[in-house]
Amino acid sequence: MRPSWDEYFMDIAQIVKKRSTCLRRQVGAVIVKDNRILTTGYNGVPPKMRHCEEIGCLRQKLNIPSGERHELCRALHAEQNAVIQAAKYGISVEGSTIYVTAQPCVICAKILIASGIKRIVFNGDYPDELSLSMLEESGIEIKKL
């Protein structure tokens, strides 16, 4: 059976997340416009930095619950990396859809709203109600697979 476009791109996001070096949660993202992939991203540290797999996770050491104290994390989120890649290579994400393997956090929600993404498709939960409330207020279409 042929997958829908949403299923197809979410399957690709699931593969992208395998590149993640996060010790706590692996997340993948794919930004798509007109059924064409613009960029991908996964959560991990910025280029030229040592991965958490090598040096450990401060948030894990401090027993910080998921969804809290993002400023203590060395990594960028998958959505952030996908938007950064678009900016780095001069690709507009205005009017596009992002497929993410977890619900965006509030920081990523603000970035996605400001970047002009019109639709978010995700399939995993994340403990951040403010994120969903901001996305709904912004008028971005949200779909959970």
Side-chain angles (χ1 to χ4, degrees), residues 87-119:
K88 185 175 178 178
Y89 293 103
I91 300 167
S92 173
V93 298
E94 181 80 31
S96 63
T97 296
I98 188 167
Y99 294 85
V100 190
T101 61
Q103 173 196 316
C105 72
V106 69
I107 295 168
C108 289
K110 291 186 277 187
I111 289 169
L112 298 176
I113 292 165
S115 70
I117 286 176
K118 71 173 183 180
R119 185 168 179 258

mmCIF file of all heavy atoms in Angstrom, residues 87-119:
data_model
loop_
_atom_site.group_PDB
_atom_site.id
_atom_site.type_symbol
_atom_site.label_atom_id
_atom_site.label_comp_id
_atom_site.label_asym_id
_atom_site.label_seq_id
_atom_site.Cartn_x
_atom_site.Cartn_y
_atom_site.Cartn_z
ATOM 1 N N ALA A 87 18.625 28.463 6.282
ATOM 2 C CA ALA A 87 19.198 29.813 6.305
ATOM 3 C C ALA A 87 20.631 29.803 5.760
ATOM 4 O O ALA A 87 21.011 30.682 4.973
ATOM 5 C CB ALA A 87 19.179 30.368 7.724
ATOM 6 N N LYS A 88 21.389 28.807 6.158
ATOM 7 C CA LYS A 88 22.794 28.712 5.741
ATOM 8 C C LYS A 88 22.935 28.617 4.226
ATOM 9 O O LYS A 88 23.863 29.177 3.641
ATOM 10 C CB LYS A 88 23.415 27.484 6.410
ATOM 11 C CG LYS A 88 24.889 27.317 6.175
ATOM 12 C CD LYS A 88 25.419 26.144 6.996
ATOM 13 C CE LYS A 88 26.893 25.922 6.734
ATOM 14 N NZ LYS A 88 27.423 24.827 7.558
ATOM 15 N N TYR A 89 22.000 27.932 3.588
ATOM 16 C CA TYR A 89 22.084 27.732 2.136
ATOM 17 C C TYR A 89 21.099 28.586 1.338
ATOM 18 O O TYR A 89 20.896 28.360 0.155
ATOM 19 C CB TYR A 89 21.913 26.242 1.819
ATOM 20 C CG TYR A 89 23.072 25.445 2.343
ATOM 21 C CD1 TYR A 89 22.955 24.686 3.498
ATOM 22 C CD2 TYR A 89 24.318 25.499 1.711
ATOM 23 C CE1 TYR A 89 24.037 23.981 4.009
ATOM 24 C CE2 TYR A 89 25.408 24.799 2.216
ATOM 25 C CZ TYR A 89 25.261 24.047 3.364
ATOM 26 O OH TYR A 89 26.337 23.356 3.872
ATOM 27 N N GLY A 90 20.482 29.578 2.001
ATOM 28 C CA GLY A 90 19.623 30.525 1.297
ATOM 29 C C GLY A 90 18.313 29.945 0.798
ATOM 30 O O GLY A 90 17.810 30.352 -0.246
ATOM 31 N N ILE A 91 17.747 29.010 1.550
ATOM 32 C CA ILE A 91 16.492 28.361 1.161
ATOM 33 C C ILE A 91 15.356 28.913 2.018
ATOM 34 O O ILE A 91 15.395 28.801 3.244
ATOM 35 C CB ILE A 91 16.589 26.830 1.347
ATOM 36 C CG1 ILE A 91 17.719 26.259 0.495
ATOM 37 C CG2 ILE A 91 15.256 26.155 1.025
ATOM 38 C CD1 ILE A 91 18.093 24.838 0.851
ATOM 39 N N SER A 92 14.361 29.488 1.392
ATOM 40 C CA SER A 92 13.213 29.993 2.130
ATOM 41 C C SER A 92 12.322 28.836 2.573
ATOM 42 O O SER A 92 12.017 27.938 1.789
ATOM 43 C CB SER A 92 12.391 30.942 1.257
ATOM 44 O OG SER A 92 11.189 31.290 1.929
ATOM 45 N N VAL A 93 11.897 28.867 3.833
ATOM 46 C CA VAL A 93 10.961 27.853 4.346
ATOM 47 C C VAL A 93 9.546 28.417 4.458
ATOM 48 O O VAL A 93 8.649 27.746 4.954
ATOM 49 C CB VAL A 93 11.436 27.258 5.691
ATOM 50 C CG1 VAL A 93 12.767 26.546 5.522
ATOM 51 C CG2 VAL A 93 11.513 28.324 6.781
ATOM 52 N N GLU A 94 9.366 29.640 3.989
ATOM 53 C CA GLU A 94 8.054 30.286 4.019
ATOM 54 C C GLU A 94 7.013 29.396 3.336
ATOM 55 O O GLU A 94 7.216 28.942 2.209
ATOM 56 C CB GLU A 94 8.118 31.635 3.287
ATOM 57 C CG GLU A 94 6.826 32.415 3.272
ATOM 58 C CD GLU A 94 6.582 33.166 4.560
ATOM 59 O OE1 GLU A 94 7.565 33.570 5.203
ATOM 60 O OE2 GLU A 94 5.412 33.347 4.922
ATOM 61 N N GLY A 95 5.919 29.116 4.039
ATOM 62 C CA GLY A 95 4.828 28.334 3.469
ATOM 63 C C GLY A 95 5.069 26.837 3.425
ATOM 64 O O GLY A 95 4.309 26.105 2.792
ATOM 65 N N SER A 96 6.100 26.364 4.098
ATOM 66 C CA SER A 96 6.434 24.937 4.037
ATOM 67 C C SER A 96 5.808 24.148 5.190
ATOM 68 O O SER A 96 5.151 24.702 6.067
ATOM 69 C CB SER A 96 7.956 24.768 4.059
ATOM 70 O OG SER A 96 8.485 25.256 5.278
ATOM 71 N N THR A 97 6.035 22.847 5.157
ATOM 72 C CA THR A 97 5.596 21.926 6.206
ATOM 73 C C THR A 97 6.831 21.319 6.833
ATOM 74 O O THR A 97 7.785 20.977 6.131
ATOM 75 C CB THR A 97 4.729 20.788 5.610
ATOM 76 O OG1 THR A 97 3.540 21.364 5.055
ATOM 77 C CG2 THR A 97 4.338 19.761 6.669
ATOM 78 N N ILE A 98 6.818 21.171 8.166
ATOM 79 C CA ILE A 98 7.894 20.462 8.843
ATOM 80 C C ILE A 98 7.327 19.190 9.451
ATOM 81 O O ILE A 98 6.254 19.199 10.044
ATOM 82 C CB ILE A 98 8.611 21.328 9.904
ATOM 83 C CG1 ILE A 98 9.853 20.606 10.435
ATOM 84 C CG2 ILE A 98 7.673 21.746 11.021
ATOM 85 C CD1 ILE A 98 10.805 21.490 11.237
ATOM 86 N N TYR A 99 8.049 18.111 9.238
ATOM 87 C CA TYR A 99 7.720 16.810 9.819
ATOM 88 C C TYR A 99 8.726 16.561 10.930
ATOM 89 O O TYR A 99 9.939 16.625 10.693
ATOM 90 C CB TYR A 99 7.811 15.705 8.760
ATOM 91 C CG TYR A 99 6.758 15.867 7.686
ATOM 92 C CD1 TYR A 99 6.973 16.690 6.592
ATOM 93 C CD2 TYR A 99 5.532 15.225 7.807
ATOM 94 C CE1 TYR A 99 5.992 16.868 5.628
ATOM 95 C CE2 TYR A 99 4.541 15.396 6.840
ATOM 96 C CZ TYR A 99 4.786 16.223 5.762
ATOM 97 O OH TYR A 99 3.804 16.407 4.816
ATOM 98 N N VAL A 100 8.230 16.309 12.142
ATOM 99 C CA VAL A 100 9.091 16.143 13.302
ATOM 100 C C VAL A 100 8.669 14.895 14.067
ATOM 101 O O VAL A 100 7.468 14.651 14.243
ATOM 102 C CB VAL A 100 9.018 17.365 14.238
ATOM 103 C CG1 VAL A 100 10.097 17.304 15.303
ATOM 104 C CG2 VAL A 100 9.111 18.667 13.490
ATOM 105 N N THR A 101 9.656 14.149 14.557
ATOM 106 C CA THR A 101 9.353 12.900 15.254
ATOM 107 C C THR A 101 8.930 13.113 16.706
ATOM 108 O O THR A 101 8.673 12.147 17.414
ATOM 109 C CB THR A 101 10.554 11.927 15.194
ATOM 110 O OG1 THR A 101 11.679 12.535 15.834
ATOM 111 C CG2 THR A 101 10.885 11.568 13.747
ATOM 112 N N ALA A 102 8.851 14.354 17.146
ATOM 113 C CA ALA A 102 8.335 14.693 18.477
ATOM 114 C C ALA A 102 7.691 16.067 18.399
ATOM 115 O O ALA A 102 8.054 16.886 17.550
ATOM 116 C CB ALA A 102 9.448 14.698 19.510
ATOM 117 N N GLN A 103 6.753 16.326 19.284
ATOM 118 C CA GLN A 103 6.130 17.648 19.349
ATOM 119 C C GLN A 103 7.209 18.701 19.604
ATOM 120 O O GLN A 103 8.080 18.500 20.441
ATOM 121 C CB GLN A 103 5.124 17.674 20.502
ATOM 122 C CG GLN A 103 4.541 19.042 20.770
ATOM 123 C CD GLN A 103 3.864 19.109 22.128
ATOM 124 O OE1 GLN A 103 3.142 18.196 22.498
ATOM 125 N NE2 GLN A 103 4.102 20.173 22.862
ATOM 126 N N PRO A 104 7.182 19.822 18.900
ATOM 127 C CA PRO A 104 8.172 20.874 19.149
ATOM 128 C C PRO A 104 8.055 21.456 20.559
ATOM 129 O O PRO A 104 6.948 21.576 21.105
ATOM 130 C CB PRO A 104 7.834 21.941 18.102
ATOM 131 C CG PRO A 104 7.100 21.202 17.031
ATOM 132 C CD PRO A 104 6.332 20.131 17.753
ATOM 133 N N CYS A 105 9.200 21.832 21.126
ATOM 134 C CA CYS A 105 9.214 22.541 22.406
ATOM 135 C C CYS A 105 8.835 24.005 22.137
ATOM 136 O O CYS A 105 8.708 24.420 20.985
ATOM 137 C CB CYS A 105 10.599 22.447 23.049
ATOM 138 S SG CYS A 105 11.863 23.462 22.219
ATOM 139 N N VAL A 106 8.703 24.794 23.192
ATOM 140 C CA VAL A 106 8.292 26.183 23.025
ATOM 141 C C VAL A 106 9.344 27.001 22.270
ATOM 142 O O VAL A 106 9.004 27.877 21.470
ATOM 143 C CB VAL A 106 7.930 26.842 24.375
ATOM 144 C CG1 VAL A 106 9.151 27.042 25.253
ATOM 145 C CG2 VAL A 106 7.190 28.158 24.149
ATOM 146 N N ILE A 107 10.617 26.714 22.475
ATOM 147 C CA ILE A 107 11.667 27.449 21.755
ATOM 148 C C ILE A 107 11.565 27.159 20.262
ATOM 149 O O ILE A 107 11.592 28.074 19.435
ATOM 150 C CB ILE A 107 13.065 27.083 22.305
ATOM 151 C CG1 ILE A 107 13.196 27.563 23.751
ATOM 152 C CG2 ILE A 107 14.165 27.684 21.431
ATOM 153 C CD1 ILE A 107 14.404 27.015 24.491
ATOM 154 N N CYS A 108 11.423 25.885 19.913
ATOM 155 C CA CYS A 108 11.289 25.524 18.499
ATOM 156 C C CYS A 108 9.981 26.064 17.916
ATOM 157 O O CYS A 108 9.951 26.497 16.769
ATOM 158 C CB CYS A 108 11.376 24.011 18.320
ATOM 159 S SG CYS A 108 13.051 23.386 18.603
ATOM 160 N N ALA A 109 8.925 26.042 18.706
ATOM 161 C CA ALA A 109 7.642 26.583 18.230
ATOM 162 C C ALA A 109 7.810 28.045 17.816
ATOM 163 O O ALA A 109 7.334 28.449 16.750
ATOM 164 C CB ALA A 109 6.576 26.447 19.317
ATOM 165 N N LYS A 110 8.497 28.827 18.638
ATOM 166 C CA LYS A 110 8.701 30.240 18.302
ATOM 167 C C LYS A 110 9.522 30.395 17.024
ATOM 168 O O LYS A 110 9.222 31.246 16.191
ATOM 169 C CB LYS A 110 9.367 30.971 19.482
ATOM 170 C CG LYS A 110 8.440 31.097 20.687
ATOM 171 C CD LYS A 110 9.040 31.948 21.783
ATOM 172 C CE LYS A 110 9.963 31.147 22.647
ATOM 173 N NZ LYS A 110 10.439 31.903 23.839
ATOM 174 N N ILE A 111 10.529 29.566 16.859
ATOM 175 C CA ILE A 111 11.358 29.619 15.643
ATOM 176 C C ILE A 111 10.519 29.244 14.419
ATOM 177 O O ILE A 111 10.608 29.900 13.379
ATOM 178 C CB ILE A 111 12.586 28.693 15.788
ATOM 179 C CG1 ILE A 111 13.559 29.294 16.806
ATOM 180 C CG2 ILE A 111 13.273 28.459 14.448
ATOM 181 C CD1 ILE A 111 14.676 28.360 17.231
ATOM 182 N N LEU A 112 9.708 28.206 14.545
ATOM 183 C CA LEU A 112 8.884 27.764 13.416
ATOM 184 C C LEU A 112 7.839 28.819 13.052
ATOM 185 O O LEU A 112 7.599 29.077 11.869
ATOM 186 C CB LEU A 112 8.229 26.421 13.730
ATOM 187 C CG LEU A 112 9.209 25.261 13.968
ATOM 188 C CD1 LEU A 112 8.461 23.999 14.368
ATOM 189 C CD2 LEU A 112 10.100 25.021 12.768
ATOM 190 N N ILE A 113 7.252 29.442 14.050
ATOM 191 C CA ILE A 113 6.271 30.507 13.798
ATOM 192 C C ILE A 113 6.948 31.661 13.050
ATOM 193 O O ILE A 113 6.459 32.123 12.021
ATOM 194 C CB ILE A 113 5.642 31.006 15.123
ATOM 195 C CG1 ILE A 113 4.763 29.920 15.746
ATOM 196 C CG2 ILE A 113 4.839 32.292 14.889
ATOM 197 C CD1 ILE A 113 4.398 30.179 17.210
ATOM 198 N N ALA A 114 8.097 32.105 13.572
ATOM 199 C CA ALA A 114 8.794 33.255 12.982
ATOM 200 C C ALA A 114 9.352 32.961 11.589
ATOM 201 O O ALA A 114 9.482 33.870 10.774
ATOM 202 C CB ALA A 114 9.925 33.707 13.906
ATOM 203 N N SER A 115 9.649 31.694 11.307
ATOM 204 C CA SER A 115 10.249 31.351 10.010
ATOM 205 C C SER A 115 9.230 31.255 8.880
ATOM 206 O O SER A 115 9.604 31.149 7.721
ATOM 207 C CB SER A 115 11.020 30.038 10.120
ATOM 208 O OG SER A 115 10.127 28.956 10.278
ATOM 209 N N GLY A 116 7.948 31.274 9.219
ATOM 210 C CA GLY A 116 6.924 31.236 8.186
ATOM 211 C C GLY A 116 6.448 29.842 7.812
ATOM 212 O O GLY A 116 5.724 29.675 6.827
ATOM 213 N N ILE A 117 6.843 28.849 8.575
ATOM 214 C CA ILE A 117 6.339 27.492 8.325
ATOM 215 C C ILE A 117 4.840 27.497 8.582
ATOM 216 O O ILE A 117 4.365 28.077 9.561
ATOM 217 C CB ILE A 117 7.097 26.470 9.195
ATOM 218 C CG1 ILE A 117 8.504 26.291 8.607
ATOM 219 C CG2 ILE A 117 6.353 25.146 9.292
ATOM 220 C CD1 ILE A 117 9.431 25.402 9.376
ATOM 221 N N LYS A 118 4.071 26.883 7.678
ATOM 222 C CA LYS A 118 2.610 26.969 7.779
ATOM 223 C C LYS A 118 1.969 25.715 8.365
ATOM 224 O O LYS A 118 0.798 25.729 8.741
ATOM 225 C CB LYS A 118 1.993 27.262 6.418
ATOM 226 C CG LYS A 118 2.079 26.093 5.450
ATOM 227 C CD LYS A 118 1.315 26.345 4.171
ATOM 228 C CE LYS A 118 1.383 25.109 3.282
ATOM 229 N NZ LYS A 118 0.679 25.256 2.047
ATOM 230 N N ARG A 119 2.740 24.621 8.440
ATOM 231 C CA ARG A 119 2.144 23.360 8.882
ATOM 232 C C ARG A 119 3.193 22.527 9.609
ATOM 233 O O ARG A 119 4.346 22.461 9.170
ATOM 234 C CB ARG A 119 1.641 22.601 7.654
ATOM 235 C CG ARG A 119 0.891 21.351 7.930
ATOM 236 C CD ARG A 119 0.189 20.873 6.627
ATOM 237 N NE ARG A 119 -0.517 19.647 6.890
ATOM 238 C CZ ARG A 119 -0.080 18.429 6.536
ATOM 239 N NH1 ARG A 119 1.045 18.293 5.863
ATOM 240 N NH2 ARG A 119 -0.771 17.367 6.841
#
